[in-house]
Amino acid sequence: MGNNAKSEATTNPPTRLTGAEIMWATLVGEGVTQVFGYPGGAILPVYDALRKFPIHHVLVRHEQGAAHMADGYARASGKVGVAIATSGPGATNLVTGIATAMLDSIPVVCITGNVSSKLLGSDAFQEVDITGITLPVTKHNFLVNQAEDVAPAIRYAFQIAQSGRPGPVLVDITKDAQQGTANFDFDAAKPRPHRPHPMLKVEESALAQAAELIQNSRRPVLLAGHGISESGAMEQVRALAERAQVPVALTLLGLGAFPASHPLNLGMMGMHGEAWVNHAIQEADLLIACGMRFDDRVTGTLATYATKARKIHIEVDPAEVNKNVKVDVALVGDLREVLEQLLPRVNSREGSAWIKTIESSKGAVAVHDIKNLPDSGHLYAAHVLHDIWRITGGKAIVVTDVGQHQMWAAQYFHHEHPRAFITSGGLGTMGYGLPAAIGAKFACPEKEIWVIAGDGGFQMTASELSTIVQEGIKINIAIINNGYLGMVRQWQEFFYESNYEATPLVSPDFVKLADAHGIPGCAVRTRSELAAAVERARSAPGAFLLNFMVEKEDSVYPMIPAGSALHEMIRRPARDPLMET
Ligand SMILES: Cc1cc2nc3c(=O)[nH]c(=O)nc-3n(C[C@H](O)[C@H](O)[C@H](O)COP(=O)(O)OP(=O)(O)OC[C@H]3O[C@@H](n4cnc5c(N)ncnc54)[C@H](O)[C@@H]3O)c2cc1C
Ligand SMILES: Cc1ncc(C[n+]2csc(CCOP(=O)(O)OP(=O)(O)O)c2C)c(N)n1
Ligand SMILES: [Mg+2]
């Protein structure tokens, strides 16, 4: 599989095909080998034509799953993921997945069928204005109502999805456009070359100013974001950090873009970031933001954010510059290209007292960490995640759902490689984990995949267990079962006087549920059972589900209350009563 594998369609002379055939031929030309979808009346001509093309179609159980699979595929591979759905409810079911991809800048192309063009606007059966509905959550979208426009629209969609700041694109094709015929000429359908945004020009003076700020800084911190892996700038970021001896703090979506084991890696910043990382940012005299967008989960309240620091922002989307945080120098462009221009201007420096200061501020935190406490018989999520990391040697692709378990997965895995920690950051979409993991498995069939899901979010898309079985793929599923919508329960505990309204959760027996799908599994209740259970899952020939019955009322620490300053963190109580039970 690979987007480089151009088909014969690229060289053959124009052929008369139906719009449906053109759709597939264009996807083949774009190197697509894999799509995730669900059929229905308005997309049936497309499904009818599928057998003629070398593309594997994964039948999902809900269109939301198709969009998340395409997204997981894109995140794991760096290529465009493709989802297909019918009109009306099929198309609207995609919306959560499209918004998820939009908020995290993921290149996905969604193709929907629509009613015939003469019925558009008549409230025809299963007609919705999906281009209207998805306008705010797509980078761009198309309504195609004749066969000859199919190939240009799809090729343009691929270009838009991948260029500049990546994002989702929707192509809505009416049924008559699928059934009508046109000449297919892949090369002639090529879009005009992508014109970079006119602001994407890095001025010499800005580069010089950035280099000078770096040179003169005494307490710099590099903020490493998702744009690093999207740009493929891992080496350049590392070179900058090492040359100027700048410690590196990572966003949730940046994890893995700078190796956890690197001596300059501080860890995650933000609402559930490490305390010493947030303090370092607040004390810094220079922030070098690389491919990150100063999300509110990262900054805390803006009025008190890093007030002592000058700021350099390297960012491909001009709309992100000065949006949340006002910066001193903006270098607008592709991160890798900008860093290649900046690096020759940066002089080597010795390790500074600043790094030692941050190091010493870690204090005894590690000693108090739950995972280091002696086995009290109780099972904490921290144990589970730390052990999965340890046992897999950190080599697995970890795909999470959303909630406390997601934050623990960020904290207790040591993320060494890009594209190996897949999680919904911006939209925070519960139900994302299981389908995104299926997409990731198709992108990286040789890799070990672990889904980390909460008991709540897992139930939102658990129907995709059948997809796993139908496709015969191996995925290890870890449910962090705390009997609560844990992250919301935590907010209720901290900010709503422990009024646990609508957060205690009755769930099915997940092991029996998996069994009903033909997937083996087992429950794990104590720390002593943990390692053997993880090994059992790994050595099972197919998918395996582990239901980890963890402490019910554990919380994620540190935590910055919404609206507080970055340094105003709630810390784990020194004698957390949970540890005594
Ligand atoms: C329950 C929960 C808790 C969370 N807590 C935290 C937390 O504690 N800490 C935290 O960090 N996050 C947290 N998040 C995630 C947070 O909401 C954001 O999703 C995350 O901080 C965004 O990271 P980012 O800016 O690196 O990535 P993105 O939002 O993906 O932004 C990437 C930026 O890079 C730019 N870019 C893309 N490609 C390029 C390129 N080629 N060159 C240059 N620039 C490029 C984009 O334009 C964009 O501005 C949490 C999420 C949830 C659901
Ligand atoms: C689709 C959706 N609905 C609601 C929320 C709000 N929300 C965020 S975390 C969370 C609780 C998740 O519970 P669970 O899946 O059990 O994970 P845990 O926090 O317990 O690890 C909720 C309801 C959300 N993020 N997504
Ligand atoms: Mg839960």
Side-chain angles (χ1 to χ4, degrees):
M1 63 182 75
N3 284 1
N4 299 326
K6 299 290 180 203
S7 78
E8 290 176 10
T10 56
T11 49
N12 286 346
T15 332
R16 195 91 191 151
L17 297 179
T18 65
E21 291 166 338
I22 291 174
M23 189 211 88
W24 291 117
T26 311
L27 291 183
V28 172
E30 290 290 347
V32 174
T33 52
Q34 194 69 62
V35 298
F36 307 93
Y38 205 86
I43 192 83
L44 258 184
V46 158
Y47 274 86
D48 190 49
L50 171 58
R51 66 198 146 88
K52 300 175 196 158
F53 297 89
I55 288 187
H56 178 65
H57 176 273
V58 176
L59 177 67
V60 304
R61 294 301 180 274
H62 186 293
E63 291 85 351
Q64 179 183 349
H68 290 330
M69 287 178 210
D71 168 314
Y73 178 90
R75 293 191 204 222
S77 67
K79 299 173 195 161
V80 176
V82 179
I84 299 187
T86 192
S87 65
T92 54
N93 274 350
L94 290 174
V95 172
T96 299
I98 295 174
T100 304
M102 183 71 179
L103 270 278
D104 290 348
S105 302
I106 305 302
V108 166
V109 169
C110 292
I111 298 172
T112 47
N114 211 334
V115 299
S116 277
S117 52
K118 61 180 180 302
L119 293 176
L120 283 172
S122 71
D123 293 336
F125 177 64
Q126 294 194 329
E127 182 197 358
V128 292
D129 173 11
I130 196 62
T131 45
I133 289 171
T134 59
L135 191 66
V137 291
T138 48
K139 196 174 164 192
H140 197 72
N141 65 27
F142 299 84
L143 173 59
V144 176
N145 59 9
Q146 49 183 8
E148 66 198 62
D149 293 340
V150 170
I154 290 180
R155 292 210 65 183
Y156 200 8
F158 270 73
Q159 187 193 67
I160 294 169
Q162 302 174 83
S163 56
R165 179 180 188 166
V169 181
L170 179 127
V171 184
D172 193 29
I173 311 177
T174 60
K175 197 164 180 181
D176 52 332
Q178 298 168 43
Q179 289 164 326
T181 60
N183 284 337
F184 173 60
D185 185 339
F186 185 82
D187 294 330
K190 188 177 177 186
R192 280 177 299 166
H194 171 64
R195 276 185 304 129
H197 195 285
M199 282 177 69
L200 293 187
K201 238 179 110 237
V202 177
E203 303 292 340
E204 280 294 316
S205 58
L207 284 168
Q209 215 185 331
E212 195 185 329
L213 284 178
I214 295 170
Q215 209 56 45
N216 294 334
S217 65
R218 292 289 162 264
R219 300 185 310 280
V221 177
L222 191 152
L223 307 179
H226 187 202
I228 299 175
S229 54
E230 296 212 308
S231 165
M234 285 74 69
E235 283 312 313
Q236 290 74 10
V237 167
R238 191 176 171 145
L240 175 61
E242 288 176 354
R243 195 172 300 173
Q245 285 297 300
V246 183
V248 177
L250 294 102
T251 67
L252 178 73
L253 297 186
L255 292 173
F258 189 81
S261 59
H262 194 286
L264 288 169
N265 187 317
L266 297 179
M268 190 169 82
M269 65 179 95
M271 180 176 272
H272 294 295
E274 307 289 0
W276 62 83
V277 181
N278 291 337
H279 284 305
I281 291 170
Q282 292 298 69
E283 287 305 312
D285 67 355
L286 177 69
L287 298 181
I288 312 167
C290 293
M292 56 80 72
R293 62 182 174 89
F294 293 107
D295 182 270
D296 57 75
R297 289 288 184 271
V298 159
T299 59
T301 187
L302 286 171
T304 51
Y305 179 67
T307 48
K308 300 171 192 164
R310 310 290 294 275
K311 291 156 192 114
I312 301 170
H313 196 183
I314 312 177
E315 165 62 58
V316 79
D317 182 356
E320 288 295 344
V321 174
N322 291 322
K323 185 178 90 176
N324 298 332
V325 170
K326 304 283 174 268
V327 298
D328 299 275
V329 181
L331 301 173
V332 183
D334 174 68
L335 180 64
R336 192 173 53 179
E337 289 172 17
V338 173
L339 286 177
E340 272 165 3
Q341 288 175 267
L342 180 63
L343 276 167
R345 294 172 162 82
V346 176
N347 298 331
S348 285
R349 305 199 301 185
E350 294 291 312
S352 64
W354 169 232
I355 293 168
K356 291 196 189 83
T357 309
I358 301 174
E359 205 52 45
S360 63
S361 74
K362 293 182 180 176
V365 172
V367 180
H368 294 303
D369 195 316
I370 274 192
K371 74 173 193 290
N372 295 328
L373 293 176
D375 187 354
S376 60
H378 290 257
L379 186 63
Y380 288 89
H383 300 144
V384 176
L385 293 163
H386 183 74
D387 272 13
I388 296 176
W389 168 75
R390 189 177 53 75
I391 292 166
T392 57
K395 294 199 179 76
I397 294 184
V398 178
V399 188
T400 79
D401 213 86
V402 167
Q404 291 182 314
H405 62 278
Q406 175 189 28
M407 294 298 111
W408 285 315
Q411 294 175 342
Y412 289 103
F413 272 82
H414 300 280
H415 303 275
E416 290 290 321
H417 307 288
R419 303 195 180 282
F421 181 59
I422 294 179
T423 197
S424 166
L427 199 67
T429 307
M430 285 173 71
Y432 174 81
L434 186 66
I438 296 173
K441 185 66 186 179
F442 278 100
C444 304
E446 74 296 347
K447 287 267 175 75
E448 180 174 345
I449 309 272
W450 279 85
V451 183
I452 312 292
D455 41 345
F458 183 74
Q459 294 186 64
M460 286 200 171
T461 50
S463 54
E464 302 302 345
L465 287 172
S466 290
T467 310
I468 291 177
V469 175
Q470 186 161 351
E471 292 296 330
I473 53 178
K474 161 117 187 100
I475 289 182
N476 304 300
I477 303 164
I479 299 183
I480 307 299
N481 190 341
N482 52 12
Y484 278 107
L485 298 174
M487 184 56 92
V488 181
R489 185 210 61 75
Q490 173 170 345
W491 281 57
Q492 290 171 326
E493 178 188 335
F494 290 2
F495 314 118
Y496 293 87
E497 295 162 346
S498 298
N499 177 18
Y500 294 164
E501 197 64 62
T503 44
L505 191 65
V506 171
S507 295
D509 179 330
F510 290 116
V511 175
K512 282 189 182 160
L513 183 74
D515 184 51
H517 288 81
I519 295 177
C522 67
V524 181
R525 291 184 173 77
T526 61
R527 198 167 165 183
S528 57
E529 301 167 83
L530 207 175
V534 171
E535 290 293 12
R536 200 175 149 200
R538 296 182 80 206
S539 56
F544 200 92
L545 181 143
L546 293 170
N547 185 18
F548 291 104
M549 311 300 289
V550 297
E551 279 292 333
K552 291 167 91 77
E553 297 192 22
D554 194 8
S555 290
V556 181
Y557 295 99
M559 177 177 190
I560 305 167
S564 296
L566 195 59
H567 54 275
E568 291 169 351
M569 285 164 278
I570 304 173
R571 307 294 300 274
R572 184 176 281 280
R575 286 174 58 84
D576 191 328
L578 272 175
M579 294 178 199
E580 309 300 322
T581 58

